[in-house]
Amino acid sequence: MPESRKDSLNRKSRLITEGDKRSPNRAMLRAVGFNDGDFEKPIIGVANGQSNITPCNAGLGKLADIAMAEIKNSGGMPQMFGTITISDGISMGTEGMKCSLISREVIADSIEIVGRGACMDAMITIGGCDKNMPGALMALARLNIPGIFVYGGTIKPGHLGDQDLTVVSAFEAVGQFSAGLIDRDQLTAIEKNACPGYGSCGGMFTANTMSSAIEAMGMSLPYSSTMSNEDKEKELSAQQSSLALFTLLKKNILPSDIITRKSLENAVTVVMAVGGSTNAVLHLLAIAHSMGVELSIDDFEAIRKKVPHLCDLKPSGKYVTVDLHHAGGIPQVMKMLLSAGLLHGDCMTVTGKTVAENLQSVPGEPASNQDVILPLSAPKSKEGHLVILKGNLSPEGCVAKVSGIKAYRIEGPARIFNSEEECLDAIIDDKIKVGDVIVIRYEGPKGGPGMREMLAPTSALVGKGLGDKVGLLTDGRFSGGTYGLVVGHVAPEAQVGGAIALVQDGDTLTIDIEKHLIQVNVSDQELEQRKAKWQAPPAKYPSGALAKYVRLVSTASRGAITD
């Protein structure tokens, strides 16, 4: 269990208030703005993910400044520090994508290190891109001091004619262009209009999935997870989040009081209801580990069977996240789930109130003048969309996202690729046929390293009209923007000799969603003979951060954790 806030406060008080030893410490703090009366105030960290590397984080600085001012006005001493980000959307399909999941660990470690090193009493973390969110939550769990997360906000949809666009539209347009379905002018027009400003990718992709999960978990304010970065209410939410920290301090409410088994089940439940990203499986497992809470990949399947898919959101639906916000946001979804007995209403949240108390004034049914949030009586599907599959190809379990697919079973010949690039080239060159089952391997936590997301190949398949006509499985990940008959996080991964490394071109593979089955249709004896001949390929990076990650990272079925 992480150290208690009491221990943290004791360390801080010894640092700046005891005897003559305090003078050197206080001298340093005076240099950054502390005056005589400030040493008795709570020191509150402001972890700021501002960066112009990506539109997801380019609008965070204003929120950090608002948080600093509100903390100061409310009697605290804010101390701002930065942390990194990697843009999945920009690095997608490149070598840089290998750094994305690794950045989650760096973000978590950096926030934890500063929080401990500066002996902070509380912390507000502000993030935008996909890995900012789980990284921040992992750090708050480890520190176990009063903390709150502020989501930088979603991007507004782009527009081309009467069509709403997201970043995934640009990836799919590449496949449409190579298939001759659109011309270069249309491709360029989609590129220019897909991302109109600041904020994280606009559909229910990974960023908005994790912001929704964190709100459901109780670690961010109600309604905050679906706001647009560029709307004024996001600035007000940052201010209110800063004020909420003082309630947490006064009541001594810690992350360990909020991030519990029940609240993590609430998060999984909401992810299923909104049609969220497969990456939520990795990230919620990692957050649970940091908090010392038992959560397994099998728990996702148990919850999935009980929870209907309620929201018609991209990538497989019609609407974007700002539409969800206008329809009532995550509180509306949670109230419906609570009324149906599918949510734990007694969980504590950063408001100082329980989930049920926060939702008291929210209607039990969605408004009738919208179809973003569907009623419980008429959901998109009666069960959740993230299915856990097992079989001889993945005895530890893997994740299939089945929202929007027409075929729940495919059996066909394996088409083997040892990297994402090889597969994308084959798709663009029309070498993939209806009925094929694509295997992209050596892209796992250790093999990639870093579990690259396969948005480029899956979007190209959709663009070429093959999205529901071929299968695809990988030991890598998928973007929250991916949909189709695709299976990720296959474990054990190829780099450690998992069965996915032993599949050969032409082997018959079966993906059966209803039976929760993924298998290669060869005998156990044959697999054992192949395993005896198999040799692990050499590590791609002999030194540096990626080599360190390979040495530390766990299997995907445990969340690809490194501690």
Side-chain angles (χ1 to χ4, degrees):
M1 178 64 68
E3 75 169 349
S4 70
R5 174 179 168 245
K6 181 179 178 182
D7 291 338
S8 178
L9 284 174
N10 284 343
R11 289 191 301 111
K12 179 254 185 177
S13 64
R14 286 197 300 271
L15 177 70
I16 64 173
T17 62
E18 279 191 6
D20 293 335
K21 294 179 182 178
R22 70 189 184 181
S23 295
N25 309 101
R26 288 166 63 125
M28 293 290 288
L29 290 171
R30 286 183 187 277
V32 293
F34 278 64
N35 295 311
D36 287 348
D38 294 333
F39 294 102
E40 306 307 318
K41 297 175 182 177
I43 294 179
I44 297 177
V46 180
N48 179 9
Q50 167 69 30
S51 168
N52 66 0
I53 289 174
T54 167
C56 315
N57 286 51
L60 301 187
K62 63 179 181 180
L63 304 182
D65 289 340
I66 289 167
M68 290 278 289
E70 187 55 53
I71 290 166
K72 186 79 169 177
N73 291 339
S74 299
M77 288 305 294
Q79 291 191 299
M80 187 189 296
F81 62 97
T83 187
I84 70 161
T85 194
I86 297 294
S87 168
D88 291 25
I90 295 172
S91 63
M92 195 74 69
T94 74
E95 192 81 356
M97 188 66 205
K98 296 180 179 183
C99 298
S100 171
L101 186 59
I102 298 174
S103 76
R104 184 190 74 180
E105 308 306 301
V106 177
I107 292 164
D109 291 351
S110 66
I111 295 174
E112 178 193 3
I113 289 296
V114 176
R116 291 192 192 282
C119 303
M120 289 171 175
D121 296 311
M123 189 178 291
I124 184 168
T125 57
I126 305 170
C129 212
D130 295 13
K131 309 310 173 295
N132 299 175
M133 286 166 271
L137 266 288
M138 291 160 67
L140 291 175
R142 295 173 191 173
L143 290 167
N144 204 30
I145 58 176
I148 191 167
F149 178 75
V150 173
Y151 179 40
T154 185
I155 197 171
K156 293 182 177 180
H159 300 286
L160 189 61
D162 61 354
Q163 182 183 7
D164 279 352
L165 300 178
T166 70
V167 66
V168 175
S169 305
F171 281 90
E172 291 178 357
V174 173
Q176 293 168 339
F177 175 71
S178 67
L181 300 176
I182 61 174
D183 60 24
R184 184 171 294 278
D185 288 343
Q186 289 171 296
L187 175 65
T188 302
I190 292 171
E191 174 196 319
K192 288 181 175 180
N193 288 279
C195 298
Y198 289 167
S200 298
C201 299
M204 189 48 66
F205 310 149
T206 302
N208 288 320
T209 296
M210 289 312 300
S211 68
S212 300
I214 291 168
E215 181 178 327
M217 197 187 307
M219 285 297 292
S220 62
L221 292 183
Y223 297 101
S224 65
S225 67
T226 52
M227 294 174 178
S228 165
N229 173 266
E230 296 184 335
D231 286 343
K232 196 70 177 178
E233 64 179 345
K234 176 47 67 178
E235 298 179 15
L236 180 60
S237 178
Q239 183 182 26
Q240 292 170 336
S241 298
S242 304
L243 282 170
L245 273 178
F246 291 88
T247 299
L248 298 174
L249 277 162
K250 182 178 179 180
K251 295 185 176 182
N252 195 29
I253 297 173
L254 310 178
S256 56
D257 298 313
I258 298 174
I259 306 174
T260 64
R261 168 70 188 208
K262 283 185 175 181
S263 76
L264 285 162
E265 289 180 354
N266 284 351
V268 175
T269 297
V270 167
V271 168
M272 295 294 178
V274 300
S277 166
T278 52
N279 286 308
V281 178
L282 282 176
H283 298 328
L284 291 174
L285 289 172
I287 292 167
H289 172 77
S290 293
M291 195 72 260
V293 175
E294 288 294 326
L295 187 73
S296 76
I297 193 171
D298 294 322
D299 293 320
F300 287 79
E301 180 61 30
I303 293 171
R304 181 195 74 83
K305 292 178 180 178
K306 299 183 291 184
V307 179
H309 180 185
L310 297 173
C311 298
D312 191 15
L313 298 169
K314 289 180 182 293
S316 60
K318 291 189 292 185
Y319 295 105
V320 294
T321 303
V322 291
D323 297 319
L324 172 61
H325 187 64
H326 297 148
I330 296 303
Q332 178 64 78
V333 176
M334 291 179 70
K335 181 60 174 281
M336 295 163 62
L337 296 168
L338 181 66
S339 300
L342 297 172
L343 215 62
H344 302 291
D346 58 345
C347 292
M348 180 53 61
T349 74
V350 290
T351 65
K353 300 177 181 179
T354 65
V355 166
E357 289 171 333
N358 287 341
L359 300 176
Q360 190 169 7
S361 62
V362 178
E365 293 291 333
S368 59
N369 62 351
Q370 57 81 47
D371 59 352
V372 184
I373 305 173
L374 303 175
L376 283 161
S377 59
K380 280 181 70 70
S381 62
K382 293 181 180 179
E383 295 181 336
H385 64 299
L386 299 182
V387 182
I388 305 302
L389 307 180
K390 291 187 177 181
N392 66 356
L393 260 178
S394 186
E396 292 181 14
C398 52
V399 187
K401 183 177 181 180
V402 301
S403 52
I405 67 170
K406 298 175 183 177
Y408 276 66
R409 185 181 190 277
I410 188 168
E411 187 168 279
R415 298 294 311 280
I416 306 298
F417 303 96
N418 289 334
S419 73
E420 177 187 9
E421 290 86 352
E422 291 178 20
C423 178
L424 182 60
D425 288 344
I427 296 169
I428 297 299
D429 293 340
D430 294 320
K431 294 180 180 179
I432 302 300
K433 306 302 180 186
V434 172
D436 285 345
V437 181
I438 296 168
V439 177
I440 307 177
R441 62 192 182 189
Y442 296 105
E443 291 283 9
K446 292 181 181 293
M451 292 187 79
R452 285 196 290 181
E453 292 179 347
M454 303 294 133
L455 181 60
T458 58
S459 296
L461 287 171
V462 171
K464 282 186 172 284
L466 294 172
D468 58 355
K469 298 173 183 175
V470 302
L472 189 152
L473 61 94
T474 180
D475 50 10
R477 298 183 293 128
F478 293 115
S479 163
T482 291
Y483 62 101
L485 192 55
V486 296
V487 182
H489 310 187
V490 171
E493 63 173 292
Q495 187 70 26
V496 300
I500 189 173
L502 311 178
V503 180
Q504 297 178 358
D505 261 312
D507 284 347
T508 301
L509 303 182
T510 300
I511 302 172
D512 193 319
I513 303 301
E514 291 181 351
K515 292 182 179 180
H516 303 103
L517 178 67
I518 183 169
Q519 69 179 22
V520 53
N521 297 306
V522 300
S523 68
D524 292 344
Q525 182 180 12
E526 173 65 18
L527 286 177
E528 289 174 6
Q529 290 173 352
R530 293 181 187 181
K531 180 65 178 288
K533 299 176 183 177
W534 174 83
Q535 289 186 333
K540 297 181 176 78
Y541 299 88
S543 62
L546 275 67
K548 188 188 304 182
Y549 182 83
V550 170
R551 291 195 295 270
L552 295 174
V553 70
S554 78
T555 179
S557 64
R558 294 184 58 214
I561 55 176
T562 56
D563 63 324

mmCIF file of all heavy atoms in Angstrom, residues 267-296:
data_model
loop_
_atom_site.group_PDB
_atom_site.id
_atom_site.type_symbol
_atom_site.label_atom_id
_atom_site.label_comp_id
_atom_site.label_asym_id
_atom_site.label_seq_id
_atom_site.Cartn_x
_atom_site.Cartn_y
_atom_site.Cartn_z
ATOM 1 N N ALA A 267 -15.482 2.121 -13.276
ATOM 2 C CA ALA A 267 -14.771 2.604 -14.456
ATOM 3 C C ALA A 267 -14.914 1.632 -15.617
ATOM 4 O O ALA A 267 -15.179 2.045 -16.762
ATOM 5 C CB ALA A 267 -13.294 2.829 -14.119
ATOM 6 N N VAL A 268 -14.734 0.347 -15.357
ATOM 7 C CA VAL A 268 -14.884 -0.664 -16.412
ATOM 8 C C VAL A 268 -16.313 -0.650 -16.951
ATOM 9 O O VAL A 268 -16.539 -0.728 -18.164
ATOM 10 C CB VAL A 268 -14.523 -2.065 -15.871
ATOM 11 C CG1 VAL A 268 -14.792 -3.129 -16.944
ATOM 12 C CG2 VAL A 268 -13.068 -2.128 -15.447
ATOM 13 N N THR A 269 -17.279 -0.515 -16.053
ATOM 14 C CA THR A 269 -18.686 -0.494 -16.458
ATOM 15 C C THR A 269 -18.976 0.664 -17.404
ATOM 16 O O THR A 269 -19.635 0.498 -18.445
ATOM 17 C CB THR A 269 -19.583 -0.388 -15.203
ATOM 18 O OG1 THR A 269 -19.397 -1.562 -14.401
ATOM 19 C CG2 THR A 269 -21.051 -0.279 -15.578
ATOM 20 N N VAL A 270 -18.473 1.852 -17.080
ATOM 21 C CA VAL A 270 -18.703 3.017 -17.934
ATOM 22 C C VAL A 270 -17.980 2.863 -19.270
ATOM 23 O O VAL A 270 -18.517 3.234 -20.323
ATOM 24 C CB VAL A 270 -18.291 4.308 -17.203
ATOM 25 C CG1 VAL A 270 -18.219 5.492 -18.163
ATOM 26 C CG2 VAL A 270 -19.277 4.605 -16.078
ATOM 27 N N VAL A 271 -16.776 2.312 -19.271
ATOM 28 C CA VAL A 271 -16.060 2.070 -20.525
ATOM 29 C C VAL A 271 -16.892 1.171 -21.443
ATOM 30 O O VAL A 271 -16.999 1.419 -22.655
ATOM 31 C CB VAL A 271 -14.674 1.447 -20.254
ATOM 32 C CG1 VAL A 271 -14.048 0.913 -21.540
ATOM 33 C CG2 VAL A 271 -13.740 2.471 -19.617
ATOM 34 N N MET A 272 -17.501 0.142 -20.872
ATOM 35 C CA MET A 272 -18.343 -0.740 -21.680
ATOM 36 C C MET A 272 -19.568 0.013 -22.201
ATOM 37 O O MET A 272 -19.973 -0.147 -23.354
ATOM 38 C CB MET A 272 -18.792 -1.949 -20.849
ATOM 39 C CG MET A 272 -17.675 -2.873 -20.417
ATOM 40 S SD MET A 272 -16.887 -3.708 -21.826
ATOM 41 C CE MET A 272 -15.616 -4.655 -20.961
ATOM 42 N N ALA A 273 -20.163 0.828 -21.375
ATOM 43 C CA ALA A 273 -21.391 1.521 -21.750
ATOM 44 C C ALA A 273 -21.167 2.557 -22.851
ATOM 45 O O ALA A 273 -22.039 2.775 -23.695
ATOM 46 C CB ALA A 273 -22.015 2.180 -20.529
ATOM 47 N N VAL A 274 -20.005 3.210 -22.850
ATOM 48 C CA VAL A 274 -19.756 4.264 -23.840
ATOM 49 C C VAL A 274 -19.070 3.732 -25.096
ATOM 50 O O VAL A 274 -18.908 4.475 -26.071
ATOM 51 C CB VAL A 274 -18.920 5.422 -23.243
ATOM 52 C CG1 VAL A 274 -19.648 6.054 -22.072
ATOM 53 C CG2 VAL A 274 -17.512 4.980 -22.855
ATOM 54 N N GLY A 275 -18.662 2.467 -25.093
ATOM 55 C CA GLY A 275 -17.982 1.918 -26.273
ATOM 56 C C GLY A 275 -16.535 2.327 -26.357
ATOM 57 O O GLY A 275 -16.032 2.650 -27.436
ATOM 58 N N GLY A 276 -15.829 2.287 -25.227
ATOM 59 C CA GLY A 276 -14.480 2.816 -25.140
ATOM 60 C C GLY A 276 -13.395 1.935 -25.730
ATOM 61 O O GLY A 276 -13.632 0.828 -26.204
ATOM 62 N N SER A 277 -12.183 2.447 -25.651
ATOM 63 C CA SER A 277 -11.003 1.865 -26.283
ATOM 64 C C SER A 277 -10.514 0.604 -25.577
ATOM 65 O O SER A 277 -10.607 0.475 -24.358
ATOM 66 C CB SER A 277 -9.881 2.909 -26.284
ATOM 67 O OG SER A 277 -8.631 2.343 -26.588
ATOM 68 N N THR A 278 -9.931 -0.310 -26.370
ATOM 69 C CA THR A 278 -9.285 -1.496 -25.800
ATOM 70 C C THR A 278 -8.152 -1.117 -24.854
ATOM 71 O O THR A 278 -7.818 -1.884 -23.940
ATOM 72 C CB THR A 278 -8.708 -2.376 -26.922
ATOM 73 O OG1 THR A 278 -7.878 -1.571 -27.772
ATOM 74 C CG2 THR A 278 -9.804 -3.001 -27.756
ATOM 75 N N ASN A 279 -7.555 0.059 -25.052
ATOM 76 C CA ASN A 279 -6.453 0.473 -24.189
ATOM 77 C C ASN A 279 -6.880 0.636 -22.734
ATOM 78 O O ASN A 279 -6.040 0.614 -21.832
ATOM 79 C CB ASN A 279 -5.843 1.779 -24.693
ATOM 80 C CG ASN A 279 -4.997 1.580 -25.930
ATOM 81 O OD1 ASN A 279 -4.120 0.741 -25.962
ATOM 82 N ND2 ASN A 279 -5.298 2.339 -26.971
ATOM 83 N N ALA A 280 -8.178 0.819 -22.494
ATOM 84 C CA ALA A 280 -8.655 0.935 -21.119
ATOM 85 C C ALA A 280 -8.307 -0.308 -20.314
ATOM 86 O O ALA A 280 -8.096 -0.219 -19.093
ATOM 87 C CB ALA A 280 -10.165 1.167 -21.107
ATOM 88 N N VAL A 281 -8.245 -1.461 -20.973
ATOM 89 C CA VAL A 281 -7.901 -2.689 -20.253
ATOM 90 C C VAL A 281 -6.488 -2.576 -19.686
ATOM 91 O O VAL A 281 -6.249 -2.805 -18.491
ATOM 92 C CB VAL A 281 -8.033 -3.917 -21.171
ATOM 93 C CG1 VAL A 281 -7.632 -5.191 -20.432
ATOM 94 C CG2 VAL A 281 -9.463 -4.039 -21.704
ATOM 95 N N LEU A 282 -5.536 -2.195 -20.529
ATOM 96 C CA LEU A 282 -4.152 -2.028 -20.071
ATOM 97 C C LEU A 282 -4.054 -1.001 -18.953
ATOM 98 O O LEU A 282 -3.411 -1.235 -17.923
ATOM 99 C CB LEU A 282 -3.265 -1.559 -21.231
ATOM 100 C CG LEU A 282 -2.794 -2.544 -22.286
ATOM 101 C CD1 LEU A 282 -2.018 -1.798 -23.347
ATOM 102 C CD2 LEU A 282 -1.947 -3.641 -21.672
ATOM 103 N N HIS A 283 -4.690 0.137 -19.154
ATOM 104 C CA HIS A 283 -4.486 1.260 -18.241
ATOM 105 C C HIS A 283 -5.175 1.051 -16.901
ATOM 106 O O HIS A 283 -4.615 1.396 -15.847
ATOM 107 C CB HIS A 283 -4.955 2.551 -18.890
ATOM 108 C CG HIS A 283 -4.208 2.911 -20.139
ATOM 109 N ND1 HIS A 283 -2.878 2.600 -20.322
ATOM 110 C CD2 HIS A 283 -4.609 3.543 -21.279
ATOM 111 C CE1 HIS A 283 -2.484 3.035 -21.508
ATOM 112 N NE2 HIS A 283 -3.518 3.609 -22.104
ATOM 113 N N LEU A 284 -6.368 0.492 -16.898
ATOM 114 C CA LEU A 284 -7.048 0.261 -15.624
ATOM 115 C C LEU A 284 -6.350 -0.841 -14.824
ATOM 116 O O LEU A 284 -6.284 -0.769 -13.585
ATOM 117 C CB LEU A 284 -8.514 -0.074 -15.864
ATOM 118 C CG LEU A 284 -9.351 1.114 -16.387
ATOM 119 C CD1 LEU A 284 -10.762 0.665 -16.747
ATOM 120 C CD2 LEU A 284 -9.403 2.254 -15.378
ATOM 121 N N LEU A 285 -5.811 -1.843 -15.506
ATOM 122 C CA LEU A 285 -5.008 -2.853 -14.802
ATOM 123 C C LEU A 285 -3.781 -2.214 -14.156
ATOM 124 O O LEU A 285 -3.418 -2.537 -13.015
ATOM 125 C CB LEU A 285 -4.566 -3.957 -15.766
ATOM 126 C CG LEU A 285 -5.651 -4.924 -16.258
ATOM 127 C CD1 LEU A 285 -5.087 -5.821 -17.353
ATOM 128 C CD2 LEU A 285 -6.200 -5.768 -15.105
ATOM 129 N N ALA A 286 -3.147 -1.284 -14.867
ATOM 130 C CA ALA A 286 -1.950 -0.621 -14.343
ATOM 131 C C ALA A 286 -2.283 0.287 -13.164
ATOM 132 O O ALA A 286 -1.546 0.337 -12.169
ATOM 133 C CB ALA A 286 -1.265 0.177 -15.448
ATOM 134 N N ILE A 287 -3.386 1.027 -13.255
ATOM 135 C CA ILE A 287 -3.806 1.893 -12.143
ATOM 136 C C ILE A 287 -4.126 1.047 -10.917
ATOM 137 O O ILE A 287 -3.734 1.385 -9.784
ATOM 138 C CB ILE A 287 -5.012 2.747 -12.561
ATOM 139 C CG1 ILE A 287 -4.595 3.762 -13.631
ATOM 140 C CG2 ILE A 287 -5.610 3.475 -11.354
ATOM 141 C CD1 ILE A 287 -5.774 4.426 -14.338
ATOM 142 N N ALA A 288 -4.838 -0.055 -11.123
ATOM 143 C CA ALA A 288 -5.160 -0.947 -10.004
ATOM 144 C C ALA A 288 -3.890 -1.462 -9.342
ATOM 145 O O ALA A 288 -3.791 -1.505 -8.103
ATOM 146 C CB ALA A 288 -6.014 -2.108 -10.499
ATOM 147 N N HIS A 289 -2.911 -1.833 -10.153
ATOM 148 C CA HIS A 289 -1.642 -2.320 -9.595
ATOM 149 C C HIS A 289 -0.961 -1.247 -8.752
ATOM 150 O O HIS A 289 -0.468 -1.519 -7.647
ATOM 151 C CB HIS A 289 -0.714 -2.755 -10.726
ATOM 152 C CG HIS A 289 0.671 -3.097 -10.293
ATOM 153 N ND1 HIS A 289 0.994 -4.289 -9.682
ATOM 154 C CD2 HIS A 289 1.832 -2.374 -10.337
ATOM 155 C CE1 HIS A 289 2.282 -4.299 -9.388
ATOM 156 N NE2 HIS A 289 2.805 -3.148 -9.776
ATOM 157 N N SER A 290 -0.943 -0.015 -9.255
ATOM 158 C CA SER A 290 -0.304 1.074 -8.512
ATOM 159 C C SER A 290 -0.996 1.336 -7.175
ATOM 160 O O SER A 290 -0.360 1.754 -6.214
ATOM 161 C CB SER A 290 -0.295 2.355 -9.354
ATOM 162 O OG SER A 290 0.547 2.218 -10.472
ATOM 163 N N MET A 291 -2.306 1.092 -7.135
ATOM 164 C CA MET A 291 -3.074 1.320 -5.918
ATOM 165 C C MET A 291 -3.079 0.098 -5.015
ATOM 166 O O MET A 291 -3.536 0.164 -3.875
ATOM 167 C CB MET A 291 -4.515 1.692 -6.287
ATOM 168 C CG MET A 291 -5.341 2.303 -5.176
ATOM 169 S SD MET A 291 -4.864 4.010 -4.757
ATOM 170 C CE MET A 291 -3.850 3.749 -3.298
ATOM 171 N N GLY A 292 -2.575 -1.044 -5.502
ATOM 172 C CA GLY A 292 -2.579 -2.267 -4.709
ATOM 173 C C GLY A 292 -3.945 -2.929 -4.649
ATOM 174 O O GLY A 292 -4.256 -3.643 -3.694
ATOM 175 N N VAL A 293 -4.772 -2.716 -5.699
ATOM 176 C CA VAL A 293 -6.110 -3.293 -5.762
ATOM 177 C C VAL A 293 -6.107 -4.456 -6.749
ATOM 178 O O VAL A 293 -5.544 -4.358 -7.835
ATOM 179 C CB VAL A 293 -7.145 -2.230 -6.212
ATOM 180 C CG1 VAL A 293 -8.521 -2.860 -6.396
ATOM 181 C CG2 VAL A 293 -7.204 -1.091 -5.213
ATOM 182 N N GLU A 294 -6.747 -5.555 -6.376
ATOM 183 C CA GLU A 294 -6.811 -6.714 -7.253
ATOM 184 C C GLU A 294 -7.791 -6.457 -8.396
ATOM 185 O O GLU A 294 -8.962 -6.172 -8.176
ATOM 186 C CB GLU A 294 -7.259 -7.954 -6.463
ATOM 187 C CG GLU A 294 -6.209 -8.496 -5.499
ATOM 188 C CD GLU A 294 -4.976 -9.045 -6.217
ATOM 189 O OE1 GLU A 294 -5.149 -9.603 -7.322
ATOM 190 O OE2 GLU A 294 -3.866 -8.909 -5.679
ATOM 191 N N LEU A 295 -7.302 -6.532 -9.622
ATOM 192 C CA LEU A 295 -8.128 -6.439 -10.817
ATOM 193 C C LEU A 295 -7.441 -7.261 -11.880
ATOM 194 O O LEU A 295 -6.233 -7.128 -12.092
ATOM 195 C CB LEU A 295 -8.273 -4.976 -11.277
ATOM 196 C CG LEU A 295 -9.253 -4.734 -12.423
ATOM 197 C CD1 LEU A 295 -10.691 -4.872 -11.949
ATOM 198 C CD2 LEU A 295 -9.041 -3.338 -13.038
ATOM 199 N N SER A 296 -8.203 -8.116 -12.558
ATOM 200 C CA SER A 296 -7.603 -8.980 -13.577
ATOM 201 C C SER A 296 -8.311 -8.788 -14.904
ATOM 202 O O SER A 296 -9.412 -8.226 -14.987
ATOM 203 C CB SER A 296 -7.690 -10.451 -13.151
ATOM 204 O OG SER A 296 -9.010 -10.938 -13.337
#
